[in-house]
mmCIF file with all atom_site columns, all heavy atoms in Angstrom:
data_model
loop_
_atom_site.group_PDB
_atom_site.id
_atom_site.type_symbol
_atom_site.label_atom_id
_atom_site.label_alt_id
_atom_site.label_comp_id
_atom_site.label_asym_id
_atom_site.label_entity_id
_atom_site.label_seq_id
_atom_site.pdbx_PDB_ins_code
_atom_site.Cartn_x
_atom_site.Cartn_y
_atom_site.Cartn_z
_atom_site.occupancy
_atom_site.B_iso_or_equiv
_atom_site.pdbx_formal_charge
_atom_site.auth_seq_id
_atom_site.auth_comp_id
_atom_site.auth_asym_id
_atom_site.auth_atom_id
_atom_site.pdbx_PDB_model_num
ATOM 1   N N   . PHE A 1 17 ? -210.567 -122.302 -106.403 1.00 0.00 ? 17 PHE A N   1
ATOM 2   C CA  . PHE A 1 17 ? -210.362 -123.749 -106.466 1.00 0.00 ? 17 PHE A CA  1
ATOM 3   C C   . PHE A 1 17 ? -210.144 -124.135 -107.912 1.00 0.00 ? 17 PHE A C   1
ATOM 4   O O   . PHE A 1 17 ? -210.514 -123.405 -108.827 1.00 0.00 ? 17 PHE A O   1
ATOM 5   C CB  . PHE A 1 17 ? -211.557 -124.513 -105.868 1.00 0.00 ? 17 PHE A CB  1
ATOM 6   C CG  . PHE A 1 17 ? -212.849 -124.313 -106.605 1.00 0.00 ? 17 PHE A CG  1
ATOM 7   C CD1 . PHE A 1 17 ? -213.253 -125.212 -107.584 1.00 0.00 ? 17 PHE A CD1 1
ATOM 8   C CD2 . PHE A 1 17 ? -213.662 -123.226 -106.323 1.00 0.00 ? 17 PHE A CD2 1
ATOM 9   C CE1 . PHE A 1 17 ? -214.439 -125.031 -108.270 1.00 0.00 ? 17 PHE A CE1 1
ATOM 10  C CE2 . PHE A 1 17 ? -214.850 -123.030 -106.995 1.00 0.00 ? 17 PHE A CE2 1
ATOM 11  C CZ  . PHE A 1 17 ? -215.245 -123.937 -107.974 1.00 0.00 ? 17 PHE A CZ  1
ATOM 12  N N   . GLN A 1 18 ? -209.512 -125.265 -108.104 1.00 0.00 ? 18 GLN A N   1
ATOM 13  C CA  . GLN A 1 18 ? -209.254 -125.752 -109.456 1.00 0.00 ? 18 GLN A CA  1
ATOM 14  C C   . GLN A 1 18 ? -210.320 -126.782 -109.807 1.00 0.00 ? 18 GLN A C   1
ATOM 15  O O   . GLN A 1 18 ? -210.461 -127.800 -109.122 1.00 0.00 ? 18 GLN A O   1
ATOM 16  C CB  . GLN A 1 18 ? -207.865 -126.373 -109.564 1.00 0.00 ? 18 GLN A CB  1
ATOM 17  C CG  . GLN A 1 18 ? -207.528 -126.772 -110.978 1.00 0.00 ? 18 GLN A CG  1
ATOM 18  C CD  . GLN A 1 18 ? -206.048 -127.019 -111.169 1.00 0.00 ? 18 GLN A CD  1
ATOM 19  O OE1 . GLN A 1 18 ? -205.238 -126.705 -110.318 1.00 0.00 ? 18 GLN A OE1 1
ATOM 20  N NE2 . GLN A 1 18 ? -205.702 -127.580 -112.307 1.00 0.00 ? 18 GLN A NE2 1
ATOM 21  N N   . ALA A 1 19 ? -211.073 -126.507 -110.857 1.00 0.00 ? 19 ALA A N   1
ATOM 22  C CA  . ALA A 1 19 ? -212.122 -127.419 -111.305 1.00 0.00 ? 19 ALA A CA  1
ATOM 23  C C   . ALA A 1 19 ? -211.520 -128.429 -112.281 1.00 0.00 ? 19 ALA A C   1
ATOM 24  O O   . ALA A 1 19 ? -210.603 -128.099 -113.035 1.00 0.00 ? 19 ALA A O   1
ATOM 25  C CB  . ALA A 1 19 ? -213.240 -126.644 -111.996 1.00 0.00 ? 19 ALA A CB  1
ATOM 26  N N   . PRO A 1 20 ? -212.009 -129.662 -112.283 1.00 0.00 ? 20 PRO A N   1
ATOM 27  C CA  . PRO A 1 20 ? -211.541 -130.628 -113.279 1.00 0.00 ? 20 PRO A CA  1
ATOM 28  C C   . PRO A 1 20 ? -211.882 -130.129 -114.681 1.00 0.00 ? 20 PRO A C   1
ATOM 29  O O   . PRO A 1 20 ? -212.794 -129.330 -114.849 1.00 0.00 ? 20 PRO A O   1
ATOM 30  C CB  . PRO A 1 20 ? -212.319 -131.906 -112.951 1.00 0.00 ? 20 PRO A CB  1
ATOM 31  C CG  . PRO A 1 20 ? -213.181 -131.607 -111.795 1.00 0.00 ? 20 PRO A CG  1
ATOM 32  C CD  . PRO A 1 20 ? -213.026 -130.192 -111.418 1.00 0.00 ? 20 PRO A CD  1
ATOM 33  N N   . ASP A 1 21 ? -211.157 -130.604 -115.682 1.00 0.00 ? 21 ASP A N   1
ATOM 34  C CA  . ASP A 1 21 ? -211.384 -130.081 -117.028 1.00 0.00 ? 21 ASP A CA  1
ATOM 35  C C   . ASP A 1 21 ? -212.506 -130.801 -117.776 1.00 0.00 ? 21 ASP A C   1
ATOM 36  O O   . ASP A 1 21 ? -212.570 -130.722 -118.994 1.00 0.00 ? 21 ASP A O   1
ATOM 37  C CB  . ASP A 1 21 ? -210.089 -130.068 -117.846 1.00 0.00 ? 21 ASP A CB  1
ATOM 38  C CG  . ASP A 1 21 ? -209.619 -131.448 -118.258 1.00 0.00 ? 21 ASP A CG  1
ATOM 39  O OD1 . ASP A 1 21 ? -210.203 -132.444 -117.810 1.00 0.00 ? 21 ASP A OD1 1
ATOM 40  O OD2 . ASP A 1 21 ? -208.663 -131.529 -119.038 1.00 0.00 ? 21 ASP A OD2 1
ATOM 41  N N   . ASN A 1 22 ? -213.388 -131.486 -117.050 1.00 0.00 ? 22 ASN A N   1
ATOM 42  C CA  . ASN A 1 22 ? -214.552 -132.007 -117.756 1.00 0.00 ? 22 ASN A CA  1
ATOM 43  C C   . ASN A 1 22 ? -215.481 -130.837 -118.069 1.00 0.00 ? 22 ASN A C   1
ATOM 44  O O   . ASN A 1 22 ? -215.587 -129.887 -117.310 1.00 0.00 ? 22 ASN A O   1
ATOM 45  C CB  . ASN A 1 22 ? -215.261 -133.123 -116.979 1.00 0.00 ? 22 ASN A CB  1
ATOM 46  C CG  . ASN A 1 22 ? -215.517 -132.771 -115.545 1.00 0.00 ? 22 ASN A CG  1
ATOM 47  O OD1 . ASN A 1 22 ? -214.961 -131.828 -115.013 1.00 0.00 ? 22 ASN A OD1 1
ATOM 48  N ND2 . ASN A 1 22 ? -216.370 -133.531 -114.902 1.00 0.00 ? 22 ASN A ND2 1
ATOM 49  N N   . ILE A 1 23 ? -216.124 -130.899 -119.183 1.00 0.00 ? 23 ILE A N   1
ATOM 50  C CA  . ILE A 1 23 ? -216.913 -129.786 -119.684 1.00 0.00 ? 23 ILE A CA  1
ATOM 51  C C   . ILE A 1 23 ? -218.311 -129.873 -119.073 1.00 0.00 ? 23 ILE A C   1
ATOM 52  O O   . ILE A 1 23 ? -219.100 -130.740 -119.426 1.00 0.00 ? 23 ILE A O   1
ATOM 53  C CB  . ILE A 1 23 ? -216.987 -129.842 -121.220 1.00 0.00 ? 23 ILE A CB  1
ATOM 54  C CG1 . ILE A 1 23 ? -215.600 -130.064 -121.822 1.00 0.00 ? 23 ILE A CG1 1
ATOM 55  C CG2 . ILE A 1 23 ? -217.658 -128.612 -121.784 1.00 0.00 ? 23 ILE A CG2 1
ATOM 56  C CD1 . ILE A 1 23 ? -214.535 -129.087 -121.381 1.00 0.00 ? 23 ILE A CD1 1
ATOM 57  N N   . THR A 1 24 ? -218.596 -128.978 -118.161 1.00 0.00 ? 24 THR A N   1
ATOM 58  C CA  . THR A 1 24 ? -219.854 -129.042 -117.432 1.00 0.00 ? 24 THR A CA  1
ATOM 59  C C   . THR A 1 24 ? -220.113 -127.700 -116.768 1.00 0.00 ? 24 THR A C   1
ATOM 60  O O   . THR A 1 24 ? -219.398 -126.736 -116.994 1.00 0.00 ? 24 THR A O   1
ATOM 61  C CB  . THR A 1 24 ? -219.815 -130.173 -116.371 1.00 0.00 ? 24 THR A CB  1
ATOM 62  O OG1 . THR A 1 24 ? -221.108 -130.349 -115.827 1.00 0.00 ? 24 THR A OG1 1
ATOM 63  C CG2 . THR A 1 24 ? -218.819 -129.895 -115.279 1.00 0.00 ? 24 THR A CG2 1
ATOM 64  N N   . SER A 1 25 ? -221.103 -127.646 -115.935 1.00 0.00 ? 25 SER A N   1
ATOM 65  C CA  . SER A 1 25 ? -221.332 -126.498 -115.058 1.00 0.00 ? 25 SER A CA  1
ATOM 66  C C   . SER A 1 25 ? -221.351 -127.006 -113.634 1.00 0.00 ? 25 SER A C   1
ATOM 67  O O   . SER A 1 25 ? -221.880 -128.081 -113.356 1.00 0.00 ? 25 SER A O   1
ATOM 68  C CB  . SER A 1 25 ? -222.673 -125.822 -115.369 1.00 0.00 ? 25 SER A CB  1
ATOM 69  O OG  . SER A 1 25 ? -222.613 -125.136 -116.583 1.00 0.00 ? 25 SER A OG  1
ATOM 70  N N   . TRP A 1 26 ? -220.773 -126.238 -112.743 1.00 0.00 ? 26 TRP A N   1
ATOM 71  C CA  . TRP A 1 26 ? -220.762 -126.582 -111.331 1.00 0.00 ? 26 TRP A CA  1
ATOM 72  C C   . TRP A 1 26 ? -221.732 -125.653 -110.610 1.00 0.00 ? 26 TRP A C   1
ATOM 73  O O   . TRP A 1 26 ? -221.779 -124.455 -110.871 1.00 0.00 ? 26 TRP A O   1
ATOM 74  C CB  . TRP A 1 26 ? -219.355 -126.421 -110.759 1.00 0.00 ? 26 TRP A CB  1
ATOM 75  C CG  . TRP A 1 26 ? -218.416 -127.427 -111.321 1.00 0.00 ? 26 TRP A CG  1
ATOM 76  C CD1 . TRP A 1 26 ? -217.683 -127.316 -112.448 1.00 0.00 ? 26 TRP A CD1 1
ATOM 77  C CD2 . TRP A 1 26 ? -218.140 -128.710 -110.783 1.00 0.00 ? 26 TRP A CD2 1
ATOM 78  N NE1 . TRP A 1 26 ? -216.954 -128.452 -112.661 1.00 0.00 ? 26 TRP A NE1 1
ATOM 79  C CE2 . TRP A 1 26 ? -217.215 -129.337 -111.641 1.00 0.00 ? 26 TRP A CE2 1
ATOM 80  C CE3 . TRP A 1 26 ? -218.574 -129.410 -109.659 1.00 0.00 ? 26 TRP A CE3 1
ATOM 81  C CZ2 . TRP A 1 26 ? -216.727 -130.600 -111.423 1.00 0.00 ? 26 TRP A CZ2 1
ATOM 82  C CZ3 . TRP A 1 26 ? -218.077 -130.676 -109.445 1.00 0.00 ? 26 TRP A CZ3 1
ATOM 83  C CH2 . TRP A 1 26 ? -217.169 -131.256 -110.310 1.00 0.00 ? 26 TRP A CH2 1
ATOM 84  N N   . ARG A 1 27 ? -222.494 -126.213 -109.710 1.00 0.00 ? 27 ARG A N   1
ATOM 85  C CA  . ARG A 1 27 ? -223.423 -125.418 -108.929 1.00 0.00 ? 27 ARG A CA  1
ATOM 86  C C   . ARG A 1 27 ? -222.715 -124.949 -107.659 1.00 0.00 ? 27 ARG A C   1
ATOM 87  O O   . ARG A 1 27 ? -222.198 -125.743 -106.887 1.00 0.00 ? 27 ARG A O   1
ATOM 88  C CB  . ARG A 1 27 ? -224.655 -126.240 -108.558 1.00 0.00 ? 27 ARG A CB  1
ATOM 89  C CG  . ARG A 1 27 ? -225.710 -125.379 -107.862 1.00 0.00 ? 27 ARG A CG  1
ATOM 90  C CD  . ARG A 1 27 ? -226.899 -126.169 -107.488 1.00 0.00 ? 27 ARG A CD  1
ATOM 91  N NE  . ARG A 1 27 ? -226.527 -126.965 -106.313 1.00 0.00 ? 27 ARG A NE  1
ATOM 92  C CZ  . ARG A 1 27 ? -227.282 -127.898 -105.787 1.00 0.00 ? 27 ARG A CZ  1
ATOM 93  N NH1 . ARG A 1 27 ? -228.426 -128.205 -106.328 1.00 0.00 ? 27 ARG A NH1 1
ATOM 94  N NH2 . ARG A 1 27 ? -226.893 -128.561 -104.718 1.00 0.00 ? 27 ARG A NH2 1
ATOM 95  N N   . ILE A 1 28 ? -222.707 -123.650 -107.457 1.00 0.00 ? 28 ILE A N   1
ATOM 96  C CA  . ILE A 1 28 ? -222.109 -123.054 -106.271 1.00 0.00 ? 28 ILE A CA  1
ATOM 97  C C   . ILE A 1 28 ? -223.257 -122.513 -105.414 1.00 0.00 ? 28 ILE A C   1
ATOM 98  O O   . ILE A 1 28 ? -224.091 -121.746 -105.898 1.00 0.00 ? 28 ILE A O   1
ATOM 99  C CB  . ILE A 1 28 ? -221.156 -121.895 -106.638 1.00 0.00 ? 28 ILE A CB  1
ATOM 100 C CG1 . ILE A 1 28 ? -220.076 -122.362 -107.618 1.00 0.00 ? 28 ILE A CG1 1
ATOM 101 C CG2 . ILE A 1 28 ? -220.560 -121.263 -105.395 1.00 0.00 ? 28 ILE A CG2 1
ATOM 102 C CD1 . ILE A 1 28 ? -219.078 -123.323 -107.041 1.00 0.00 ? 28 ILE A CD1 1
ATOM 103 N N   . THR A 1 29 ? -223.300 -122.922 -104.173 1.00 0.00 ? 29 THR A N   1
ATOM 104 C CA  . THR A 1 29 ? -224.313 -122.432 -103.248 1.00 0.00 ? 29 THR A CA  1
ATOM 105 C C   . THR A 1 29 ? -223.612 -121.741 -102.095 1.00 0.00 ? 29 THR A C   1
ATOM 106 O O   . THR A 1 29 ? -222.696 -122.294 -101.486 1.00 0.00 ? 29 THR A O   1
ATOM 107 C CB  . THR A 1 29 ? -225.177 -123.595 -102.706 1.00 0.00 ? 29 THR A CB  1
ATOM 108 O OG1 . THR A 1 29 ? -225.792 -124.246 -103.809 1.00 0.00 ? 29 THR A OG1 1
ATOM 109 C CG2 . THR A 1 29 ? -226.249 -123.088 -101.756 1.00 0.00 ? 29 THR A CG2 1
#
Side-chain angles (χ1 to χ4, degrees):
F17 63 95
Q18 185 164 349
D21 72 353
N22 49 345
I23 312 307
T24 189
S25 288
W26 292 88
R27 186 181 75 188
I28 304 292
T29 301

